[in-house]
Amino acid sequence: MDRKAKILIIEDDQEIRRELNTYLSREGYETAALESFADTAAQALKAEPDLILLDVNLPGASGLRVCEEIRKVSQVPVIFVTGNNTSMDELNCILRGGDDYVAKPYQLPVLLARIGAVLRRTMGRKDGTEARLEYKGVVLDAAAAQISRGDAKCALTKNELKILYCLYEHQGEIVSREDILDYLWDHEVFIDDNTLSVHVTRIRNKLKEIGAPDFIKTRRGLGYCI
């Protein structure tokens, strides 16, 4: 059985926070909410959510700054929920690392639909794929955008995550560079052959950090395999 997705609510208005918590819990999500906003990014990461609802206008650091701090170490999806509702506000939220943007006042069913769409995209549920895959002791957590082995973990960028996911879907098989590039194109990641080499090198360095240096093997003239 799939576990419930965990949503972290970062909203300084107590009434809105309570409303979101009640509504999302009723819809079957696990919820958590911050009630203090000191070192907000660190608190958010510690909660290990599958998705963050983030208000822009927070006490102290703005939600935009919080998202930037989160993006330094995690690709956990972030939906901004804010009273700032111009097109420039929306663009600013996306450029700072947000996955979506919902302006206040919003209809709860609309917010729920946005949450569902982002989770399907980031947790891989829409096409029946899994959010968490394991092969030879190495765990790929698509929801958290990280790779782990035992207690060692390393965050992945979106492109690194997609490349690894492609290899996990073909465990024990050789996947050509052309097939990887086609897979990335189908999933809205547009990189060229040279950039693919750079990403694979970075992935290998991260695998080395968690104690799996030989996880990805190169088959010269053919492609890669795990």
Side-chain angles (χ1 to χ4, degrees), residues 74-85:
S74 173
Q75 294 298 311
V76 59
V78 173
I79 296 179
F80 282 104
V81 183
T82 175
N84 303 331
N85 57 8

Side-chain angles (χ1 to χ4, degrees), residues 44-191:
L45 293 168
K46 186 177 180 181
E48 298 185 341
D50 296 306
L51 182 143
I52 297 173
L53 289 181
L54 179 59
D55 188 19
V56 170
N57 299 313
L58 295 172
S62 75
L64 297 173
R65 180 61 180 165
V66 171
C67 188
E68 286 182 329
E69 291 295 317
I70 290 171
R71 283 291 171 260
K72 291 178 181 179
V73 294
S74 173
Q75 294 298 311
V76 59
V78 173
I79 296 179
F80 282 104
V81 183
T82 175
N84 303 331
N85 57 8
T86 70
S87 58
M88 285 305 298
D89 290 317
E90 181 175 2
L91 178 61
N92 201 19
C93 288
I94 300 304
L95 291 176
R96 297 295 188 93
D99 293 86
D100 205 345
Y101 169 99
V102 180
K104 299 175 183 175
Y106 52 81
Q107 297 295 319
L108 286 172
V110 172
L111 178 61
L112 187 67
R114 295 288 187 91
I115 290 170
V118 171
L119 285 175
R120 284 194 299 273
R121 187 166 67 246
T122 57
M123 297 181 74
R125 300 297 176 83
K126 189 174 183 179
D127 57 2
T129 57
E130 297 294 331
R132 182 182 174 89
L133 299 173
E134 182 173 359
Y135 187 62
K136 295 183 177 179
V138 178
V139 177
L140 177 64
D141 189 334
Q146 70 179 16
I147 198 83
S148 64
R149 183 174 181 266
D151 294 330
K153 300 178 181 179
C154 204
L156 301 168
T157 66
K158 182 177 78 170
N159 290 356
E160 292 165 355
L161 174 63
K162 295 293 186 184
I163 292 167
L164 270 172
Y165 207 102
C166 178
L167 294 175
Y168 267 81
E169 287 188 323
H170 300 86
Q171 296 174 9
E173 303 173 12
I174 297 173
V175 185
S176 71
R177 295 173 65 87
E178 292 78 10
D179 285 344
I180 293 174
L181 290 170
D182 287 344
Y183 175 91
L184 295 174
W185 183 275
D186 289 342
H187 290 78
E188 299 182 351
V189 176
F190 309 109
I191 65 175

Side-chain angles (χ1 to χ4, degrees), residues 199-216:
H199 283 302
V200 171
T201 298
R202 290 174 178 168
I203 293 169
R204 281 179 161 149
N205 289 336
K206 292 183 177 183
L207 286 163
K208 185 176 180 180
E209 287 182 34
I210 64 170
D214 301 318
F215 187 68
I216 297 178

